[in-house]
mmCIF file of all heavy atoms in Angstrom:
data_model
loop_
_atom_site.group_PDB
_atom_site.id
_atom_site.type_symbol
_atom_site.label_atom_id
_atom_site.label_comp_id
_atom_site.label_asym_id
_atom_site.label_seq_id
_atom_site.Cartn_x
_atom_site.Cartn_y
_atom_site.Cartn_z
ATOM 1 N N ARG A 9 0.617 2.144 -0.897
ATOM 2 C CA ARG A 9 1.381 3.386 -0.983
ATOM 3 C C ARG A 9 1.059 4.300 0.200
ATOM 4 O O ARG A 9 0.020 4.155 0.844
ATOM 5 C CB ARG A 9 1.050 4.115 -2.276
ATOM 6 C CG ARG A 9 1.402 3.347 -3.532
ATOM 7 C CD ARG A 9 0.941 4.072 -4.747
ATOM 8 N NE ARG A 9 -0.526 4.249 -4.656
ATOM 9 C CZ ARG A 9 -1.296 4.687 -5.632
ATOM 10 N NH1 ARG A 9 -0.766 5.020 -6.779
ATOM 11 N NH2 ARG A 9 -2.596 4.812 -5.481
ATOM 12 N N LYS A 10 1.947 5.231 0.451
ATOM 13 C CA LYS A 10 1.745 6.181 1.544
ATOM 14 C C LYS A 10 0.441 6.957 1.358
ATOM 15 O O LYS A 10 -0.312 7.163 2.311
ATOM 16 C CB LYS A 10 2.937 7.130 1.619
ATOM 17 C CG LYS A 10 2.935 8.023 2.824
ATOM 18 C CD LYS A 10 4.212 8.840 2.896
ATOM 19 C CE LYS A 10 4.199 9.724 4.122
ATOM 20 N NZ LYS A 10 5.447 10.492 4.236
ATOM 21 N N SER A 11 0.154 7.353 0.131
ATOM 22 C CA SER A 11 -1.087 8.091 -0.137
ATOM 23 C C SER A 11 -2.318 7.214 0.113
ATOM 24 O O SER A 11 -3.352 7.705 0.571
ATOM 25 C CB SER A 11 -1.101 8.628 -1.568
ATOM 26 O OG SER A 11 -0.999 7.565 -2.500
ATOM 27 N N ASP A 12 -2.195 5.911 -0.169
ATOM 28 C CA ASP A 12 -3.297 4.979 0.091
ATOM 29 C C ASP A 12 -3.535 4.843 1.590
ATOM 30 O O ASP A 12 -4.681 4.785 2.039
ATOM 31 C CB ASP A 12 -3.015 3.601 -0.506
ATOM 32 C CG ASP A 12 -2.917 3.610 -2.018
ATOM 33 O OD1 ASP A 12 -3.402 4.572 -2.654
ATOM 34 O OD2 ASP A 12 -2.349 2.646 -2.560
ATOM 35 N N LYS A 13 -2.474 4.800 2.357
ATOM 36 C CA LYS A 13 -2.600 4.695 3.817
ATOM 37 C C LYS A 13 -3.290 5.930 4.393
ATOM 38 O O LYS A 13 -4.127 5.823 5.288
ATOM 39 C CB LYS A 13 -1.232 4.508 4.461
ATOM 40 C CG LYS A 13 -0.623 3.143 4.206
ATOM 41 C CD LYS A 13 0.734 3.014 4.847
ATOM 42 C CE LYS A 13 1.336 1.663 4.504
ATOM 43 N NZ LYS A 13 2.665 1.501 5.088
ATOM 44 N N LYS A 14 -2.945 7.094 3.864
ATOM 45 C CA LYS A 14 -3.565 8.328 4.324
ATOM 46 C C LYS A 14 -5.056 8.333 3.983
ATOM 47 O O LYS A 14 -5.894 8.703 4.802
ATOM 48 C CB LYS A 14 -2.862 9.526 3.683
ATOM 49 C CG LYS A 14 -3.326 10.860 4.187
ATOM 50 C CD LYS A 14 -2.528 11.996 3.580
ATOM 51 C CE LYS A 14 -3.054 13.323 4.092
ATOM 52 N NZ LYS A 14 -2.321 14.445 3.507
ATOM 53 N N LEU A 15 -5.384 7.899 2.771
ATOM 54 C CA LEU A 15 -6.777 7.822 2.348
ATOM 55 C C LEU A 15 -7.541 6.805 3.192
ATOM 56 O O LEU A 15 -8.663 7.067 3.626
ATOM 57 C CB LEU A 15 -6.854 7.468 0.863
ATOM 58 C CG LEU A 15 -8.221 7.455 0.224
ATOM 59 C CD1 LEU A 15 -8.962 8.772 0.417
ATOM 60 C CD2 LEU A 15 -8.075 7.144 -1.270
ATOM 61 N N GLU A 16 -6.927 5.657 3.456
ATOM 62 C CA GLU A 16 -7.557 4.626 4.293
ATOM 63 C C GLU A 16 -7.868 5.192 5.680
ATOM 64 O O GLU A 16 -8.950 4.965 6.221
ATOM 65 C CB GLU A 16 -6.646 3.401 4.399
ATOM 66 C CG GLU A 16 -7.133 2.339 5.353
ATOM 67 C CD GLU A 16 -8.352 1.566 4.875
ATOM 68 O OE1 GLU A 16 -8.769 1.720 3.699
ATOM 69 O OE2 GLU A 16 -8.904 0.801 5.685
ATOM 70 N N LYS A 17 -6.940 5.928 6.236
ATOM 71 C CA LYS A 17 -7.152 6.523 7.565
ATOM 72 C C LYS A 17 -8.349 7.477 7.543
ATOM 73 O O LYS A 17 -9.175 7.464 8.462
ATOM 74 C CB LYS A 17 -5.891 7.255 8.024
ATOM 75 C CG LYS A 17 -5.984 7.793 9.423
ATOM 76 C CD LYS A 17 -4.686 8.428 9.874
ATOM 77 C CE LYS A 17 -4.862 8.980 11.280
ATOM 78 N NZ LYS A 17 -3.643 9.603 11.780
ATOM 79 N N SER A 18 -8.470 8.273 6.483
ATOM 80 C CA SER A 18 -9.598 9.194 6.359
ATOM 81 C C SER A 18 -10.921 8.451 6.220
ATOM 82 O O SER A 18 -11.928 8.825 6.826
ATOM 83 C CB SER A 18 -9.399 10.118 5.159
ATOM 84 O OG SER A 18 -8.310 10.970 5.363
ATOM 85 N N ILE A 19 -10.915 7.386 5.436
ATOM 86 C CA ILE A 19 -12.126 6.588 5.258
ATOM 87 C C ILE A 19 -12.546 5.970 6.586
ATOM 88 O O ILE A 19 -13.721 6.020 6.968
ATOM 89 C CB ILE A 19 -11.929 5.504 4.181
ATOM 90 C CG1 ILE A 19 -11.795 6.146 2.794
ATOM 91 C CG2 ILE A 19 -13.074 4.493 4.194
ATOM 92 C CD1 ILE A 19 -11.346 5.184 1.703
ATOM 93 N N VAL A 20 -11.596 5.400 7.294
ATOM 94 C CA VAL A 20 -11.890 4.769 8.587
ATOM 95 C C VAL A 20 -12.431 5.800 9.576
ATOM 96 O O VAL A 20 -13.394 5.527 10.300
ATOM 97 C CB VAL A 20 -10.649 4.033 9.139
ATOM 98 C CG1 VAL A 20 -10.843 3.628 10.592
ATOM 99 C CG2 VAL A 20 -10.331 2.813 8.276
ATOM 100 N N THR A 21 -11.861 6.985 9.602
ATOM 101 C CA THR A 21 -12.336 8.042 10.492
ATOM 102 C C THR A 21 -13.790 8.394 10.176
ATOM 103 O O THR A 21 -14.639 8.458 11.069
ATOM 104 C CB THR A 21 -11.443 9.292 10.372
ATOM 105 O OG1 THR A 21 -10.123 8.959 10.800
ATOM 106 C CG2 THR A 21 -11.987 10.444 11.208
ATOM 107 N N ALA A 22 -14.074 8.610 8.906
ATOM 108 C CA ALA A 22 -15.439 8.975 8.492
ATOM 109 C C ALA A 22 -16.427 7.870 8.828
ATOM 110 O O ALA A 22 -17.515 8.132 9.354
ATOM 111 C CB ALA A 22 -15.465 9.265 6.988
ATOM 112 N N LEU A 23 -16.055 6.633 8.527
ATOM 113 C CA LEU A 23 -16.981 5.522 8.757
ATOM 114 C C LEU A 23 -17.146 5.212 10.240
ATOM 115 O O LEU A 23 -18.223 4.785 10.670
ATOM 116 C CB LEU A 23 -16.541 4.282 7.983
ATOM 117 C CG LEU A 23 -16.606 4.427 6.459
ATOM 118 C CD1 LEU A 23 -16.135 3.141 5.785
ATOM 119 C CD2 LEU A 23 -18.001 4.801 5.993
ATOM 120 N N THR A 24 -16.136 5.462 11.032
ATOM 121 C CA THR A 24 -16.257 5.280 12.487
ATOM 122 C C THR A 24 -17.265 6.273 13.046
ATOM 123 O O THR A 24 -18.124 5.915 13.867
ATOM 124 C CB THR A 24 -14.887 5.439 13.175
ATOM 125 O OG1 THR A 24 -14.010 4.418 12.684
ATOM 126 C CG2 THR A 24 -15.012 5.334 14.694
ATOM 127 N N GLU A 25 -17.189 7.509 12.591
ATOM 128 C CA GLU A 25 -18.157 8.516 13.036
ATOM 129 C C GLU A 25 -19.573 8.138 12.609
ATOM 130 O O GLU A 25 -20.524 8.250 13.401
ATOM 131 C CB GLU A 25 -17.790 9.884 12.460
ATOM 132 C CG GLU A 25 -16.535 10.475 13.052
ATOM 133 C CD GLU A 25 -16.116 11.780 12.386
ATOM 134 O OE1 GLU A 25 -16.901 12.336 11.578
ATOM 135 O OE2 GLU A 25 -15.001 12.258 12.677
ATOM 136 N N ALA A 26 -19.715 7.677 11.378
ATOM 137 C CA ALA A 26 -21.039 7.264 10.890
ATOM 138 C C ALA A 26 -21.561 6.082 11.701
ATOM 139 O O ALA A 26 -22.743 6.043 12.065
ATOM 140 C CB ALA A 26 -20.966 6.903 9.407
ATOM 141 N N CYS A 27 -20.698 5.138 11.991
ATOM 142 C CA CYS A 27 -21.097 3.952 12.749
ATOM 143 C C CYS A 27 -21.570 4.336 14.153
ATOM 144 O O CYS A 27 -22.604 3.834 14.622
ATOM 145 C CB CYS A 27 -19.928 2.974 12.825
ATOM 146 S SG CYS A 27 -20.337 1.398 13.620
ATOM 147 N N GLU A 28 -20.841 5.204 14.812
ATOM 148 C CA GLU A 28 -21.220 5.617 16.169
ATOM 149 C C GLU A 28 -22.595 6.273 16.185
ATOM 150 O O GLU A 28 -23.405 6.012 17.087
ATOM 151 C CB GLU A 28 -20.147 6.552 16.740
ATOM 152 C CG GLU A 28 -18.867 5.824 17.078
ATOM 153 C CD GLU A 28 -17.712 6.741 17.450
ATOM 154 O OE1 GLU A 28 -17.879 7.986 17.436
ATOM 155 O OE2 GLU A 28 -16.629 6.213 17.745
ATOM 156 N N GLU A 29 -22.884 7.093 15.189
ATOM 157 C CA GLU A 29 -24.203 7.718 15.112
ATOM 158 C C GLU A 29 -25.278 6.692 14.772
ATOM 159 O O GLU A 29 -26.369 6.718 15.340
ATOM 160 C CB GLU A 29 -24.203 8.846 14.081
ATOM 161 C CG GLU A 29 -23.463 10.073 14.574
ATOM 162 C CD GLU A 29 -23.611 11.253 13.636
ATOM 163 O OE1 GLU A 29 -24.676 11.408 12.997
ATOM 164 O OE2 GLU A 29 -22.642 12.028 13.557
ATOM 165 N N ALA A 30 -24.983 5.800 13.851
ATOM 166 C CA ALA A 30 -25.960 4.798 13.424
ATOM 167 C C ALA A 30 -26.334 3.857 14.567
ATOM 168 O O ALA A 30 -27.496 3.453 14.686
ATOM 169 C CB ALA A 30 -25.420 4.003 12.236
ATOM 170 N N LEU A 31 -25.374 3.529 15.411
ATOM 171 C CA LEU A 31 -25.663 2.652 16.552
ATOM 172 C C LEU A 31 -26.721 3.262 17.468
ATOM 173 O O LEU A 31 -27.527 2.542 18.055
ATOM 174 C CB LEU A 31 -24.378 2.373 17.342
ATOM 175 C CG LEU A 31 -23.426 1.371 16.711
ATOM 176 C CD1 LEU A 31 -22.056 1.426 17.388
ATOM 177 C CD2 LEU A 31 -24.001 -0.042 16.764
ATOM 178 N N LYS A 32 -26.742 4.564 17.562
ATOM 179 C CA LYS A 32 -27.715 5.260 18.407
ATOM 180 C C LYS A 32 -29.072 5.428 17.726
ATOM 181 O O LYS A 32 -30.096 5.534 18.389
ATOM 182 C CB LYS A 32 -27.179 6.645 18.786
ATOM 183 C CG LYS A 32 -25.916 6.623 19.605
ATOM 184 C CD LYS A 32 -25.369 8.026 19.784
ATOM 185 C CE LYS A 32 -23.983 8.001 20.381
ATOM 186 N NZ LYS A 32 -23.341 9.328 20.372
ATOM 187 N N GLN A 33 -29.083 5.445 16.387
ATOM 188 C CA GLN A 33 -30.286 5.833 15.661
ATOM 189 C C GLN A 33 -31.092 4.682 15.059
ATOM 190 O O GLN A 33 -32.286 4.848 14.814
ATOM 191 C CB GLN A 33 -29.913 6.784 14.518
ATOM 192 C CG GLN A 33 -29.342 8.097 14.989
ATOM 193 C CD GLN A 33 -28.950 8.996 13.824
ATOM 194 O OE1 GLN A 33 -29.455 8.857 12.719
ATOM 195 N NE2 GLN A 33 -28.036 9.921 14.060
ATOM 196 N N TYR A 34 -30.473 3.547 14.806
ATOM 197 C CA TYR A 34 -31.141 2.501 14.028
ATOM 198 C C TYR A 34 -31.226 1.196 14.811
ATOM 199 O O TYR A 34 -30.200 0.609 15.155
ATOM 200 C CB TYR A 34 -30.410 2.281 12.701
ATOM 201 C CG TYR A 34 -30.306 3.548 11.895
ATOM 202 C CD1 TYR A 34 -29.133 4.291 11.876
ATOM 203 C CD2 TYR A 34 -31.399 4.036 11.183
ATOM 204 C CE1 TYR A 34 -29.042 5.475 11.153
ATOM 205 C CE2 TYR A 34 -31.317 5.211 10.454
ATOM 206 C CZ TYR A 34 -30.138 5.927 10.447
ATOM 207 O OH TYR A 34 -30.059 7.094 9.742
ATOM 208 N N ASP A 35 -32.456 0.766 15.074
ATOM 209 C CA ASP A 35 -32.672 -0.497 15.776
ATOM 210 C C ASP A 35 -32.053 -1.645 14.995
ATOM 211 O O ASP A 35 -32.277 -1.793 13.792
ATOM 212 C CB ASP A 35 -34.168 -0.775 15.947
ATOM 213 C CG ASP A 35 -34.819 0.137 16.964
ATOM 214 O OD1 ASP A 35 -34.095 0.676 17.835
ATOM 215 O OD2 ASP A 35 -36.049 0.322 16.883
ATOM 216 N N GLY A 36 -31.268 -2.434 15.681
ATOM 217 C CA GLY A 36 -30.679 -3.615 15.076
ATOM 218 C C GLY A 36 -29.388 -3.369 14.317
ATOM 219 O O GLY A 36 -28.720 -4.314 13.902
ATOM 220 N N PHE A 37 -29.016 -2.104 14.134
ATOM 221 C CA PHE A 37 -27.747 -1.827 13.460
ATOM 222 C C PHE A 37 -26.613 -2.291 14.354
ATOM 223 O O PHE A 37 -26.609 -2.017 15.558
ATOM 224 C CB PHE A 37 -27.602 -0.330 13.151
ATOM 225 C CG PHE A 37 -26.283 0.012 12.506
ATOM 226 C CD1 PHE A 37 -26.101 -0.159 11.147
ATOM 227 C CD2 PHE A 37 -25.223 0.475 13.271
ATOM 228 C CE1 PHE A 37 -24.883 0.139 10.550
ATOM 229 C CE2 PHE A 37 -24.005 0.776 12.687
ATOM 230 C CZ PHE A 37 -23.830 0.608 11.326
ATOM 231 N N GLN A 38 -25.623 -2.988 13.765
ATOM 232 C CA GLN A 38 -24.523 -3.541 14.543
ATOM 233 C C GLN A 38 -23.175 -2.882 14.243
ATOM 234 O O GLN A 38 -22.466 -2.497 15.141
ATOM 235 C CB GLN A 38 -24.394 -5.048 14.273
ATOM 236 C CG GLN A 38 -25.637 -5.839 14.651
ATOM 237 C CD GLN A 38 -25.859 -5.837 16.135
ATOM 238 O OE1 GLN A 38 -25.013 -6.297 16.900
ATOM 239 N NE2 GLN A 38 -26.978 -5.300 16.575
ATOM 240 N N TRP A 39 -22.830 -2.791 12.972
ATOM 241 C CA TRP A 39 -21.525 -2.274 12.581
ATOM 242 C C TRP A 39 -21.498 -2.040 11.078
ATOM 243 O O TRP A 39 -22.448 -2.387 10.379
ATOM 244 C CB TRP A 39 -20.397 -3.217 13.009
ATOM 245 C CG TRP A 39 -20.533 -4.647 12.552
ATOM 246 C CD1 TRP A 39 -21.318 -5.622 13.107
ATOM 247 C CD2 TRP A 39 -19.867 -5.279 11.454
ATOM 248 N NE1 TRP A 39 -21.183 -6.811 12.421
ATOM 249 C CE2 TRP A 39 -20.287 -6.630 11.407
ATOM 250 C CE3 TRP A 39 -18.938 -4.844 10.511
ATOM 251 C CZ2 TRP A 39 -19.833 -7.537 10.459
ATOM 252 C CZ3 TRP A 39 -18.479 -5.748 9.566
ATOM 253 C CH2 TRP A 39 -18.918 -7.078 9.556
ATOM 254 N N LEU A 40 -20.406 -1.454 10.616
ATOM 255 C CA LEU A 40 -20.217 -1.308 9.170
ATOM 256 C C LEU A 40 -18.751 -1.509 8.853
ATOM 257 O O LEU A 40 -17.888 -1.430 9.723
ATOM 258 C CB LEU A 40 -20.742 0.030 8.650
ATOM 259 C CG LEU A 40 -20.214 1.332 9.228
ATOM 260 C CD1 LEU A 40 -18.835 1.674 8.700
ATOM 261 C CD2 LEU A 40 -21.171 2.456 8.897
ATOM 262 N N THR A 41 -18.494 -1.773 7.597
ATOM 263 C CA THR A 41 -17.128 -1.955 7.128
ATOM 264 C C THR A 41 -17.054 -1.476 5.691
ATOM 265 O O THR A 41 -18.068 -1.095 5.103
ATOM 266 C CB THR A 41 -16.671 -3.423 7.263
ATOM 267 O OG1 THR A 41 -15.259 -3.499 7.037
ATOM 268 C CG2 THR A 41 -17.412 -4.336 6.301
ATOM 269 N N HIS A 42 -15.875 -1.488 5.160
ATOM 270 C CA HIS A 42 -15.710 -1.101 3.763
ATOM 271 C C HIS A 42 -14.697 -2.013 3.090
ATOM 272 O O HIS A 42 -13.876 -2.644 3.752
ATOM 273 C CB HIS A 42 -15.269 0.362 3.645
ATOM 274 C CG HIS A 42 -13.854 0.606 4.076
ATOM 275 N ND1 HIS A 42 -13.470 0.586 5.399
ATOM 276 C CD2 HIS A 42 -12.735 0.870 3.373
ATOM 277 C CE1 HIS A 42 -12.179 0.825 5.480
ATOM 278 N NE2 HIS A 42 -11.692 1.000 4.254
ATOM 279 N N ILE A 43 -14.814 -2.064 1.782
ATOM 280 C CA ILE A 43 -13.807 -2.732 0.976
ATOM 281 C C ILE A 43 -13.438 -1.774 -0.149
ATOM 282 O O ILE A 43 -14.274 -1.005 -0.617
ATOM 283 C CB ILE A 43 -14.275 -4.105 0.440
ATOM 284 C CG1 ILE A 43 -15.580 -3.989 -0.331
ATOM 285 C CG2 ILE A 43 -14.400 -5.116 1.558
ATOM 286 C CD1 ILE A 43 -16.030 -5.291 -0.955
ATOM 287 N N VAL A 44 -12.183 -1.818 -0.529
ATOM 288 C CA VAL A 44 -11.714 -0.896 -1.561
ATOM 289 C C VAL A 44 -10.449 -1.448 -2.202
ATOM 290 O O VAL A 44 -9.656 -2.117 -1.551
ATOM 291 C CB VAL A 44 -11.464 0.511 -0.961
ATOM 292 C CG1 VAL A 44 -10.349 0.506 0.054
ATOM 293 C CG2 VAL A 44 -11.218 1.536 -2.038
ATOM 294 N N ASN A 45 -10.302 -1.183 -3.472
ATOM 295 C CA ASN A 45 -9.075 -1.453 -4.208
ATOM 296 C C ASN A 45 -8.527 -0.076 -4.565
ATOM 297 O O ASN A 45 -9.096 0.609 -5.418
ATOM 298 C CB ASN A 45 -9.376 -2.281 -5.455
ATOM 299 C CG ASN A 45 -8.168 -2.505 -6.321
ATOM 300 O OD1 ASN A 45 -7.162 -1.824 -6.208
ATOM 301 N ND2 ASN A 45 -8.270 -3.460 -7.215
ATOM 302 N N TYR A 46 -7.432 0.327 -3.935
ATOM 303 C CA TYR A 46 -6.934 1.683 -4.131
ATOM 304 C C TYR A 46 -6.416 1.942 -5.542
ATOM 305 O O TYR A 46 -6.301 3.089 -5.957
ATOM 306 C CB TYR A 46 -5.893 2.043 -3.072
ATOM 307 C CG TYR A 46 -6.567 2.283 -1.743
ATOM 308 C CD1 TYR A 46 -6.507 1.347 -0.725
ATOM 309 C CD2 TYR A 46 -7.318 3.429 -1.544
ATOM 310 C CE1 TYR A 46 -7.167 1.563 0.471
ATOM 311 C CE2 TYR A 46 -7.985 3.650 -0.355
ATOM 312 C CZ TYR A 46 -7.904 2.713 0.645
ATOM 313 O OH TYR A 46 -8.567 2.928 1.825
ATOM 314 N N GLN A 47 -6.147 0.908 -6.274
ATOM 315 C CA GLN A 47 -5.759 1.091 -7.678
ATOM 316 C C GLN A 47 -6.961 1.517 -8.517
ATOM 317 O O GLN A 47 -6.790 2.025 -9.616
ATOM 318 C CB GLN A 47 -5.143 -0.188 -8.234
ATOM 319 C CG GLN A 47 -3.830 -0.525 -7.572
ATOM 320 C CD GLN A 47 -3.259 -1.844 -8.048
ATOM 321 O OE1 GLN A 47 -3.960 -2.700 -8.574
ATOM 322 N NE2 GLN A 47 -1.963 -2.005 -7.850
ATOM 323 N N ARG A 48 -8.153 1.291 -7.995
ATOM 324 C CA ARG A 48 -9.369 1.664 -8.714
ATOM 325 C C ARG A 48 -10.248 2.621 -7.899
ATOM 326 O O ARG A 48 -11.442 2.717 -8.126
ATOM 327 C CB ARG A 48 -10.171 0.400 -9.056
ATOM 328 C CG ARG A 48 -9.436 -0.490 -10.040
ATOM 329 C CD ARG A 48 -10.247 -1.705 -10.485
ATOM 330 N NE ARG A 48 -11.594 -1.373 -10.865
ATOM 331 C CZ ARG A 48 -12.689 -1.818 -10.221
ATOM 332 N NH1 ARG A 48 -12.589 -2.614 -9.194
ATOM 333 N NH2 ARG A 48 -13.883 -1.465 -10.630
#
Side-chain angles (χ1 to χ4, degrees):
R9 298 175 301 190
K10 188 175 181 178
S11 60
D12 296 341
K13 289 179 183 179
K14 186 176 179 181
L15 185 55
E16 174 71 9
K17 185 176 179 180
S18 294
I19 291 169
V20 168
T21 297
L23 294 180
T24 298
E25 290 175 10
C27 185
E28 288 171 359
E29 286 187 33
L31 284 166
K32 297 173 190 171
Q33 295 178 23
Y34 303 100
D35 288 337
F37 178 82
Q38 299 293 300
W39 54 281
L40 57 77
T41 191
H42 72 287
I43 55 176
V44 65
N45 175 343
Y46 286 105
Q47 294 176 339
R48 294 184 47 244

